């Protein structure tokens, strides 16, 4: 590295040109780099989603889920398989290992699913495999003014959809909440009986109609012409007058009315609304595509009369906000670094030399990201925010050493080169150490690598660029700007030197105190509850209102509207969207749910505390009877701060599963901070089954007749006002009691007979949800924990599960938020161990000894003291991002110790170990404190600002880094010298004894 400095002085013109090129290329790369919400990555999961309107959960399990599981269970690369069967829907989730080609896996699943024969009335399965590029970039709502006809609404919807599809960069558009016009034919049973016409006759009312046929070509009146037949019902009045029997028209025996059919209900601030969810095309820029869609929406809102269209959310805004936040962090970091250097050095020229490293390092980083094919997204921008605090560290150490030498020696190029050489090894190894901490992230495989490699590359590029600038540009600028500088020589604090000597003489006191502080901090951390991600600064909130599965649909809608009114009238709410029911468009994205579930997406006004708002909504629980009210902060990437823990009870015997689940629930209920506990078996729905006597009738014939009597039956379609409109015959009867079900009649070979003659009606209570794991049924017990006590509750639930005496063949597995949290913490811990190993290896290569790096590593436990104290003082609950901050500390903290020990090693050539330690601590105190304070100040905006949704850079991360670095900086100057002398205790003792004997000899000579 020393050669770089000498080369830069020999090639000044080239360095100046490179600096200009780096700045220009940085700006060009910034303007050129695609801006995305997340880096492109495949989710190693394939979902198969099926909708079966009207089917109960057990039927979906037996007729849909089981065949699907048998078919896809042997897909190549599959690691595990889970399925959920509910009322009207089924979903099979296949998880794959990280090395699987997900496009091939999806294609294989699609081929397999296409070969399965599913029951009539069940929609074709949707096979979904998520990629981050599929994340919607815009959510748009459309509401119509009152008074518009269905035809007018339909025309405007088509126009708006077409224009949105034309927007540059817009990809697939999902539309939910839309209605389709239909004609309902409701049989009048008394009229049919009076006319003696069976209801089945109505099924053929449109048969043979809607014909448009070419007969052929004939010579007519001497000219060749074509003969066609055209028969089209073009109005409801015409439909009413169609004959169904001699002298009998349709209107004589049935009510014919225009209606609208709606798969799902969507409302915006109390008005019926249509929701557009728009993804971008594969190679489009998320920000550009989002802006194009916004412009299209602005134009449509002016051009389309009677329709109100607006953009609710856009990831382009998120990305732009992230970029703005990054620029703010960079500017604040530069400002704080400037202030710190001015305070310590009191020289504006030295300050200017140092802060040049920020724009230069960022310019080089952006150019390298462009070359690497990495996009600007919240992951890479988070990497920049993390690196900003470290960009000036190397330059500070260099300029401080240069400036200190120039205060003692006359100005010369040689002095500047030598001063840079003195610290070159220290800053090189400290930078490589920090890079090594993030290196294991880039070594992960599969989708995790796609997420974390861009982050690791961003940090690595930034720090290596700052090192390059510190070794080349900073010395050159020093030679230019510091020429003629005359300042009073800087002397280290004599009081601090005396303290260090006392400290080294009483090192055991220092080490014992440090050990006690470390043990105390670790104990405090272990006792500290680990919470879910903080949600107080969330801008969006998700609310769900789950009614029991046997609740009639009109009651569900009524209750949903009641809560919607409360939410939209709340002063904290900007807008609220209510959604109810499943739709084919939502199923394409794997979004299926219970038909008794109402969901709300809420946008909060600026400055609203989301936690307080959620507490306010929870007070409405008592107003909705048996319905379950759940509130969570919404997060585009991470899904919000979930605090739900589940325990899966697996086995072959359903009775034993139920027995074990009941015992588990009884053990979990008394646990403190468990808000609610339930199992999927508790949610049951009455099922009425006709058990057909095979001697009296055929089950298929009975089922087909009941289907036509109790369910809407499509009759065909007609043209109404130029639009193809479906004609649906409504159920002949609508039995609402068990007695009325028993009164149904069906046609058999012996004529019309009561259904009780051929079948027995049996009522049973069946679960409304069935869970399968690897094709076997299992019971899921779910516990909602207080978010701030998540880890504590998780441990208590694990204890309760371990104490349970399980029936033979039954196993338990705890999962959910606490298990995910423990897994995340374990992954971070393993990464930290790998990082520490790499750090130690680099330091051994640097210092050519095993013992000195061990003394440096002792600074790591010291950081834990400050990190825990920071969390305790701030009252912030440690979460995943806090652990990520602890990982960062490994690279940041040891840099101070490296700078210190590097000076010690240089001093040992002419001094004893103790004198070398005292001089090094005194001399390097200023650059160590300067770099630490600069890094801390660069992190302060994260503490007092708001982190980006889905970003790994957050308030808790900043608090951990600031607290850890502050404590480690102070204790490094005190504890690390003690540990270093302890590592070389014998040598140091010999040197002190020799020094004492020499001093006695000198004294004796003087006395003589």
């Amino acid at each position: 590295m020393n050669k770089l400095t000498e080369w830069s002085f020999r090639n000044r013109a080239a360095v100046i040109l490179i600096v200009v090129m780096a700045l220009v290329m940085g700006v060009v790369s910034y303007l050129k780099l695609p801006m995305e919400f997340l880096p492109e990555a495949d989710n190693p999961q394939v979902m198969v989603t099926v909708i079966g309107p009207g089917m109960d959960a057990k039927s979906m399990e037996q007729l849909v889920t089981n065949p699907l599981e048998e078919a896809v269970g042997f897909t190549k690369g599959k690691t595990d398989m889970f399925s959920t069967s509910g009322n009207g829907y089924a979903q099979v989730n296949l998880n794959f290992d990280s090395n699987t080609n997900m496009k091939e896996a999806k294609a294989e699943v699609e081929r397999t699913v296409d070969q399965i024969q599913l029951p009539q009335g069940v929609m074709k399965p949707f096979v979904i495999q998520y990629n981050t590029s599929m994340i919607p970039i815009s959510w748009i709502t459309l509401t119509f003014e009152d008074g518009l006809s269905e035809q007018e609404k339909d025309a405007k919807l088509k126009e708006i959809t077409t224009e949105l599809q034309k927007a540059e960069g817009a990809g697939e558009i999902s539309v939910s909440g839309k209605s389709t016009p239909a004609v309902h034919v409701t049989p009048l049973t008394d009229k049919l009986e009076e006319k003696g016409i069976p209801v089945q006759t109505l099924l053929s009312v449109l048969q043979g109609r809607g014909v448009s046929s070419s007969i052929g070509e004939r010579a007519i009146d001497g000219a060749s012409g074509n003969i066609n037949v055209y028969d089209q019902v073009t109005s409801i009045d015409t439909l009413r007058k169609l004959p169904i029997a001699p002298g009998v028209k349709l209107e004589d025996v049935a009510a014919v009315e225009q209606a609208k059919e709606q798969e799902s209900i969507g409302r915006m601030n109390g008005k019926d609304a249509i929701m557009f969810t728009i993804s971008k095309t594969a190679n489009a820029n998320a920000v550009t595509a989002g802006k194009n869609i916004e412009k299209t929406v602005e134009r449509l809102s002016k051009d389309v009369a009677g329709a109100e269209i607006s953009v609710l959310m856009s990831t382009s805004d998120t990305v732009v906000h992230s970029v703005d936040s990054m620029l703010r962090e960079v500017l604040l970091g530069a400002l704080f670094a400037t202030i710190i250097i001015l305070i310590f050095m009191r020289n504006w020229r030295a300050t200017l030399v140092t802060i040049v490293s920020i724009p230069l390092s960022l310019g080089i980083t952006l150019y390298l990201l462009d070359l690497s094919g990495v996009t600007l997204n919240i992951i890479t921008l988070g990497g920049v925010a993390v690196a900003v605090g470290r960009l000036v560290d190397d330059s500070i150490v260099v300029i401080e050493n240069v400036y200190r030498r120039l205060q003692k020696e006359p100005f010369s190029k040689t002095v500047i080169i030598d001063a840079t050489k003195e610290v070159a090894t220290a800053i090189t190894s400290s930078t490589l150490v920090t890079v090594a901490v993030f290196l294991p992230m880039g070594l992960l495989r599969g989708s995790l690598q796609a997420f974390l490699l861009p982050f690791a590359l961003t940090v690595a590029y930034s720090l290596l660029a700052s090192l390059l600038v510190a070794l080349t540009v900073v010395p050159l600028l020093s030679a230019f700007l510091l020429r003629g500088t005359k300042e009073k020589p800087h002397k280290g604090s004599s009081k601090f030197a005396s303290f260090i000597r006392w400290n080294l003489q009483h090192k055991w006191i220092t080490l014992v105190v440090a050990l006690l502080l470390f043990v105390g901090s670790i104990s405090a951390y272990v006792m500290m509850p680990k919470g879910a991600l903080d949600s107080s600064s969330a801008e969006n909130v998700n609310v769900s209102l789950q009614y029991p599965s046997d609740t009639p649909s009109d009651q569900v809608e009524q209750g949903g509207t009641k809560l919607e009114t409360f939410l939209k009238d709340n002063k904290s709410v900007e807008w609220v969207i209510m959604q109810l029911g499943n739709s084919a468009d939502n199923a394409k994205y794997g979004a299926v749910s219970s038909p008794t579930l109402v969901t709300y997406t809420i946008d909060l006004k600026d400055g609203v505390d989301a936690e307080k708002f959620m507490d306010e909504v929870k007070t409405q629980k008592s107003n909705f009877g048996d319905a379950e009210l759940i509130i969570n902060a919404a997060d585009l990437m991470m899904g919000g701060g979930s605090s739900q823990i589940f325990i899966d009870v697996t086995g072959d015997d359903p009775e034993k599963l139920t027995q074990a689940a009941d015992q588990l629930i009884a053990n979990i209920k008394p646990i403190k901070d468990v808000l609610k506990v339930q199992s999927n078996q508790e949610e049951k729905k009455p099922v009425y089954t006709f058990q057909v006597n095979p001697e009296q009738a055929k089950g298929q014939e009975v089922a087909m007749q009941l289907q036509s009597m109790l369910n809407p039956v499509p009759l065909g379609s007609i043209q109404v006002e130029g639009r193809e409109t479906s004609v649906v015959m409504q159920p002949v009867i609508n039995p609402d009691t068990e007695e009325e079900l028993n009164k149904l009649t069906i046609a058999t070979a012996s004529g019309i007979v009561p259904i009780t003659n051929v079948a027995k009606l049996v009522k049973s209570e069946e679960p409304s949800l069935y869970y399968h794991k690897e094709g076997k049924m299992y019971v899921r017990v779910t516990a909602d924990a207080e978010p701030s006590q998540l880890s504590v509750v998780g441990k208590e639930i694990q204890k309760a599960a371990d104490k349970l005496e399980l029936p033979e063949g039954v196993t338990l597995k705890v999962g959910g938020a606490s298990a995910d949290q423990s897994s995340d913490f374990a992954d971070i811990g393993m990464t930290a161990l790998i990082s520490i190993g790499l750090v130690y290896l680099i330091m051994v290569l640097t210092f050519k000894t095993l013992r000195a790096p061990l003394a440096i590593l002792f600074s790591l436990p010291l950081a834990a003291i400050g990190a825990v104290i920071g969390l305790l003082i701030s009252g912030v609950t440690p979460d995943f991002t806090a652990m990520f901050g602890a990982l960062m500390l490994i690279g940041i903290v040891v840099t101070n110790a490296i700078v210190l020990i590097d000076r010690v090693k240089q001093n040992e050539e002419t001094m004893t170990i103790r004198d070398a330690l005292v001089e090094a601590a005194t001399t390097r105190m200023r650059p160590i404190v300067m770099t630490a304070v600069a890094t801390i100040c660069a992190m302060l905006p994260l503490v007092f600002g708001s982190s980006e949704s889905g970003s790994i850079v957050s308030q808790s991360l900043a608090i951990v880094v600031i607290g850890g670095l502050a404590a480690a900086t102070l204790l490094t100057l005190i504890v690390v010298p003690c540990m270093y002398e302890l590592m070389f205790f014998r040598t140091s003792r010999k040197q002190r004894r020799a020094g004492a004997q020499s001093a006695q000899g000198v004294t004796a000579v003087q006395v003589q």
Side-chain angles (χ1 to χ4, degrees):
M1 288 298 176
N2 298 336
K3 301 293 183 183
L4 275 176
T5 307
E6 295 173 359
W7 178 87
S8 64
F9 272 92
R10 292 196 303 269
N11 300 275
R12 296 181 185 181
V15 172
I16 293 172
L17 181 60
I18 291 172
V19 167
V20 174
M21 289 175 62
L23 292 173
V24 172
M25 291 306 297
V27 173
V28 171
S29 298
Y30 173 74
L31 298 174
K32 179 185 172 186
L33 276 171
M35 292 185 184
E36 303 290 352
F37 181 58
L38 289 170
E40 185 172 353
D42 280 319
N43 181 23
Q45 185 183 70
V46 174
M47 288 187 290
V48 183
T49 305
V50 187
I51 296 179
M55 292 184 68
D56 66 283
K58 190 169 185 178
S59 297
M60 289 298 294
E61 180 208 28
Q62 294 178 346
L63 303 177
V64 177
T65 305
N66 287 345
L68 284 174
E69 287 178 332
E70 290 176 8
V72 302
F74 298 98
T75 305
K76 184 180 178 182
K78 177 186 75 69
T79 56
D80 48 49
M81 176 175 65
F82 294 87
S83 71
T84 305
S85 305
N87 293 317
Y89 72 93
Q91 189 170 72
V92 179
N93 292 322
L94 302 169
N95 295 326
F96 293 83
D97 61 53
S98 58
N99 295 323
T100 303
N101 184 316
M102 293 311 301
K103 290 182 176 58
E104 292 179 2
K106 179 187 177 184
E108 183 180 348
V109 172
E110 282 178 333
R111 288 193 299 269
T112 306
V113 168
D114 286 342
Q115 297 173 7
I116 302 173
Q117 187 69 37
L118 294 178
Q120 188 177 0
V122 174
M123 291 186 186
K124 183 181 178 182
F126 297 100
V127 179
I128 307 106
Q129 191 278 312
Y130 277 119
N131 183 287
T132 52
S133 62
M134 295 168 62
I135 293 177
I137 57 172
S138 295
W139 289 261
I140 298 168
T141 57
L142 170 65
T143 56
F144 294 107
E145 293 180 359
D146 296 334
L148 290 177
S149 67
E150 291 300 320
Q151 286 72 24
E152 289 175 320
K153 290 180 181 179
D154 186 57
K156 294 180 186 298
L157 174 60
K158 280 185 176 179
E159 179 185 354
I160 291 169
T161 305
T162 302
E163 290 301 314
L164 288 174
Q165 287 173 333
K166 289 180 181 177
E168 187 178 353
E172 187 170 351
I173 299 179
S174 170
V175 184
S176 60
K178 64 182 178 181
S179 60
T180 55
V183 177
H184 286 177
V185 176
T186 307
L188 304 173
T189 51
D190 54 339
K191 298 287 187 181
L192 286 168
E193 289 177 7
E194 181 184 325
K195 303 286 186 181
I197 299 173
V199 69
Q200 286 80 6
T201 306
L202 301 184
L203 298 176
S204 59
V205 66
L206 288 176
Q207 282 185 3
R209 307 207 179 261
V211 174
S212 179
S213 179
S214 177
I215 305 301
E217 186 176 322
R218 289 290 185 274
I220 307 296
D221 293 334
S224 179
N226 293 94
I227 302 174
N228 294 337
V229 173
Y230 178 79
D231 170 24
Q232 192 68 263
V233 180
T234 57
S235 71
I236 296 177
D237 287 337
T238 304
L239 178 62
R240 290 191 179 109
K241 291 180 171 52
L242 292 179
I244 61 166
V248 181
K249 300 175 183 177
L250 180 60
E251 64 183 354
D252 295 335
V253 293
V256 182
E257 298 172 336
Q258 186 161 7
K260 64 177 182 179
E261 294 184 339
Q262 202 166 6
E263 284 184 313
S264 61
I265 296 173
R267 293 165 66 88
M268 167 76 172
N269 288 339
K271 294 180 66 176
D272 287 338
I274 295 170
M275 171 76 79
F276 296 90
T277 307
I278 306 177
S279 303
K280 68 179 185 67
T281 54
N283 299 320
N285 185 313
V287 172
T288 304
K291 295 301 180 187
N292 290 337
I293 291 170
E294 287 178 11
K295 290 177 183 177
T296 303
V297 169
E298 288 178 11
R299 176 170 56 81
L300 289 172
S301 62
K302 296 176 183 177
D303 296 346
V304 182
E308 183 180 340
I309 179 170
S310 58
V311 178
L312 290 183
M313 292 180 283
S314 175
T315 54
S316 64
D317 295 336
T318 303
V319 176
V320 170
H321 185 268
S322 297
V323 174
D324 293 341
S325 298
M326 179 201 72
L327 293 175
R328 184 175 66 248
E329 302 295 337
V330 171
L331 293 174
L332 286 173
L335 175 63
F336 287 138
T338 303
I339 294 172
I340 296 304
I341 297 166
L342 275 173
I343 290 173
F344 277 89
M345 292 188 173
R346 299 180 295 278
N347 185 298
W348 69 268
R349 293 183 180 182
T351 302
L352 181 61
V353 171
T354 306
I355 63 173
V356 162
S357 63
I358 292 180
L360 261 180
S361 300
L362 287 178
I364 296 170
T365 300
L366 290 170
Y367 177 63
L368 292 175
L369 288 177
D370 188 20
L371 287 180
S372 304
V374 176
T375 62
L376 279 182
N377 51 67
I378 62 172
I379 301 294
T380 51
L381 293 176
V384 173
V386 165
V388 163
R390 279 279 287 115
L391 290 184
V392 293
D393 283 10
D394 293 341
S395 297
I396 285 176
V397 173
V398 170
I399 194 65
E400 192 278 338
N401 205 47
V402 169
Y403 191 63
R404 184 178 56 81
R405 288 281 297 269
L406 290 178
Q407 289 175 328
K408 298 177 181 179
E409 306 170 36
F411 178 88
S412 70
K413 183 180 76 173
T414 304
V415 170
I416 292 175
I417 293 175
D418 289 344
T420 305
K421 285 181 179 179
E422 281 183 5
V423 295
T425 301
I427 64 173
T428 300
S429 58
S430 64
T431 300
L432 292 178
V433 158
T434 311
V435 171
V437 168
F438 295 96
L439 184 62
M441 298 181 189
L443 299 178
L444 295 171
R445 297 185 298 177
S447 56
L448 279 177
Q449 185 190 57
F451 275 110
L452 294 179
L453 182 59
F455 182 88
L457 286 177
T458 305
V459 174
Y461 289 159
S462 300
L463 297 182
L464 292 175
S466 71
L467 173 65
L468 184 65
V469 171
L471 292 174
T472 55
V473 178
V474 169
L476 268 183
L477 283 176
S478 300
F480 175 71
L481 290 176
L482 299 184
R483 186 183 298 273
T485 299
K486 292 183 180 180
E487 296 287 344
K488 293 180 180 179
H490 170 73
K491 294 181 179 179
S493 171
S494 57
K495 291 183 179 180
F496 183 69
S498 300
F499 170 75
I500 292 296
R501 287 192 178 278
W502 178 91
N503 182 50
L504 291 170
Q505 289 169 1
H506 304 85
K507 62 174 69 67
W508 289 110
I509 297 176
T510 302
L511 293 175
V512 169
V513 170
L515 179 62
L516 291 174
L517 286 173
F518 174 69
V519 172
S521 64
I522 294 301
S523 301
Y525 174 77
V526 172
M527 299 297 293
M528 194 183 299
K530 318 303 184 297
L533 295 179
D534 177 56
S535 305
S536 58
S537 62
E539 296 177 354
N540 301 103
V541 171
N542 288 334
V543 176
S544 63
L545 187 65
Q546 175 70 69
Y547 278 90
S549 56
D550 59 353
T551 308
S553 58
D554 56 342
Q555 290 185 25
V556 175
E557 186 175 353
Q558 183 180 355
T561 305
K562 180 180 176 182
L563 181 57
E564 177 193 36
T565 302
F566 167 80
L567 293 172
K568 70 184 180 67
D569 292 341
N570 192 295
K571 294 180 180 179
S572 300
V573 173
E574 187 72 33
W575 49 256
V576 57
I577 293 175
M578 182 186 101
Q579 291 180 298
L580 167 62
N582 291 316
S583 69
D585 278 311
N586 288 337
K588 291 177 184 177
Y589 291 92
V592 288
S593 62
S594 166
T596 58
L597 174 67
V598 190
T599 59
Y600 306 84
T601 304
I602 302 161
D603 185 63
L604 300 177
K605 293 180 179 177
D606 292 340
V608 173
D609 188 320
E611 294 285 355
K612 291 182 179 178
F613 171 76
M614 290 190 286
D615 290 339
E616 189 177 345
V617 176
K618 289 175 185 176
T619 62
Q620 296 296 304
K621 170 69 178 72
S622 58
N623 297 331
F624 297 94
D626 295 335
E628 183 181 358
L629 187 63
I630 300 174
I631 305 101
N632 282 313
D635 190 312
L636 290 174
M637 171 185 169
M638 305 175 83
S642 172
S643 58
Q644 199 171 74
I645 302 165
F646 60 78
I647 307 94
D648 292 336
V649 187
T650 312
D652 295 322
D653 189 334
E655 291 185 7
K656 289 182 179 180
L657 291 181
T658 303
Q659 177 188 344
D662 292 342
Q663 293 176 9
L664 186 62
I665 291 172
N667 288 2
I668 292 175
K669 278 184 178 179
I671 295 175
K672 185 182 178 183
D673 293 317
V674 170
L675 306 179
K676 182 179 181 180
V677 58
Q678 63 180 355
S679 80
N680 60 294
Q681 286 196 327
E682 288 183 2
E683 187 66 33
K684 293 190 176 182
K685 182 179 183 179
V687 176
Y688 298 88
T689 305
F690 284 104
Q691 295 181 349
V692 178
N693 184 342
E695 297 177 4
Q696 301 293 328
K698 294 179 180 179
Q700 185 177 9
E701 292 178 357
V702 174
M704 290 177 64
Q705 291 185 60
L706 292 178
Q707 283 274 7
S708 62
M709 282 193 287
L710 301 179
N711 294 317
V713 179
L715 300 181
S717 62
I718 64 173
Q719 289 286 328
V720 178
E721 297 182 5
R723 175 172 178 175
E724 191 85 8
T725 305
S726 61
V727 179
V728 182
M729 186 173 77
Q730 297 303 292
V732 179
I733 53 176
N734 290 291
D736 52 14
T737 65
E738 188 172 348
E739 183 182 354
E740 290 185 6
L741 279 174
N742 275 315
K743 288 182 179 179
L744 294 176
T745 59
I746 61 169
T748 65
S750 57
I752 304 296
V753 298
I755 195 169
T756 51
N757 288 5
V758 299
K760 179 183 177 183
L761 182 62
V762 178
K763 179 184 177 182
S764 61
E765 293 288 329
E766 301 285 352
S768 58
L769 282 174
Y770 287 89
Y771 291 100
H772 285 188
K773 183 176 182 179
E774 298 301 332
K776 293 184 178 181
M777 188 179 78
Y778 72 101
V779 178
R780 172 163 289 183
V781 176
T782 306
D784 291 318
E786 176 63 37
S788 62
Q789 303 295 318
L790 177 60
S791 63
V792 176
V793 174
K795 288 178 182 177
E796 292 300 317
I797 288 177
Q798 184 68 62
K799 289 179 183 177
D802 292 339
K803 290 179 182 177
L804 198 66
E805 293 185 7
L806 298 173
E808 187 178 352
V810 176
T811 58
L812 296 183
K813 183 178 181 181
V814 179
S818 65
D820 291 342
Q821 184 190 64
S822 300
S823 176
D824 290 341
F825 283 17
D827 289 344
I828 287 289
M830 182 57 66
T831 305
L833 290 176
I834 296 172
S835 299
I836 290 171
L838 291 173
V839 166
Y840 184 61
L841 175 62
I842 292 172
M843 290 190 295
V844 169
L845 292 172
T846 301
F847 294 109
K848 307 294 189 296
T849 176
L850 292 173
R851 286 183 286 179
L854 285 176
I856 294 173
L857 284 181
F858 201 77
S859 61
L860 293 179
L862 307 181
I865 299 171
V868 174
I869 291 174
L871 291 171
L872 289 172
I873 293 175
S874 64
V876 173
T877 305
D879 54 22
F880 173 77
T881 60
M883 290 298 295
F884 198 82
L887 177 62
M888 287 173 50
L889 275 176
I890 295 172
I892 296 174
V893 166
V894 295
T895 58
N896 291 332
I898 288 173
V899 169
L900 174 66
I901 298 302
D902 178 70
R903 181 73 180 186
V904 172
K905 284 296 183 184
Q906 293 178 24
N907 291 340
E908 283 183 10
E909 295 177 5
T910 56
M911 303 180 188
T912 64
I913 290 177
R914 178 160 292 184
D915 289 341
L917 286 167
V918 173
E919 194 279 339
T922 307
T923 303
R924 291 289 165 87
M925 181 182 73
R926 184 166 71 166
I928 286 174
V929 173
M930 285 172 64
T931 56
V933 174
T935 303
I936 288 171
C937 288
M939 284 283 182
L940 287 177
L942 288 174
V943 176
F944 300 107
S946 60
S947 61
E948 192 56 71
S949 172
S951 177
I952 54 179
V953 180
S954 67
Q955 184 188 50
S956 55
L957 178 145
I959 289 171
V960 167
V961 171
I962 289 172
L965 183 56
T969 300
L970 175 63
L971 296 175
T972 293
L973 293 167
I974 299 172
V975 179
V976 170
C978 294
M979 280 302 301
Y980 185 87
E981 189 174 65
L982 196 61
M983 290 290 176
F984 300 92
F985 182 76
R986 292 181 180 179
T987 305
S988 179
R989 186 172 57 184
K990 287 180 181 179
Q991 290 175 346
R992 292 198 301 276
R993 285 177 178 174
Q997 292 173 358
S998 176
Q1000 290 174 1
V1002 172
T1003 303
V1005 171
Q1006 290 175 348
V1007 170
Q1008 293 175 355

